[in-house]
Amino acid sequence: MFAGVFRMHLKCPECDLPYFPEPGYYLGAIYFSYALSLLVGAPVAVGLLMAGVAYWPCIAATGGVFALLWLPIYQYSRVLWLHFDNALTG
Ligand SMILES: [Zn+2]
């Protein structure tokens, strides 16, 4: 799907599925981005808090995890949105 860090192919090289069927198509990917961020961040934050780490270092560590993982979260949220939309609309 991705031709670079942010750049996407216009369509699938295998099956010609258009990756940009309409303007603003990937706005819906924010829901998957939120879900993925929650899946990644919540265990880190809750785990550190339960281990007795203070609040602000816990927030900083969780932010550090997001600083490392923003790119796969961004890209996979678009992939998941495309699959979700195609599963619903065909
Ligand atoms: Zn394809």
Side-chain angles (χ1 to χ4, degrees), residues 11-63:
K11 60 183 181 177
C12 178
E14 299 289 325
C15 65
D16 286 344
L17 175 75
Y19 287 159
F20 295 95
E22 61 191 17
Y25 178 71
Y26 289 100
L27 189 62
I30 61 174
Y31 300 112
F32 286 98
S33 179
Y34 178 75
L36 289 175
S37 299
L38 203 62
L39 278 174
V40 168
V44 173
V46 171
L48 288 174
L49 284 173
M50 289 178 71
V53 176
Y55 180 75
W56 285 111
C58 174
I59 295 294
T62 307

Side-chain angles (χ1 to χ4, degrees), residues 43-90:
V44 173
V46 171
L48 288 174
L49 284 173
M50 289 178 71
V53 176
Y55 180 75
W56 285 111
C58 174
I59 295 294
T62 307
V65 168
F66 288 137
L68 291 174
L69 295 178
W70 66 269
L71 182 59
I73 289 173
Y74 163 78
Q75 290 183 336
Y76 277 105
S77 66
R78 285 187 168 220
V79 171
L80 288 170
W81 171 252
L82 189 71
H83 279 84
F84 175 76
D85 186 51
N86 277 302
L88 288 183
T89 61

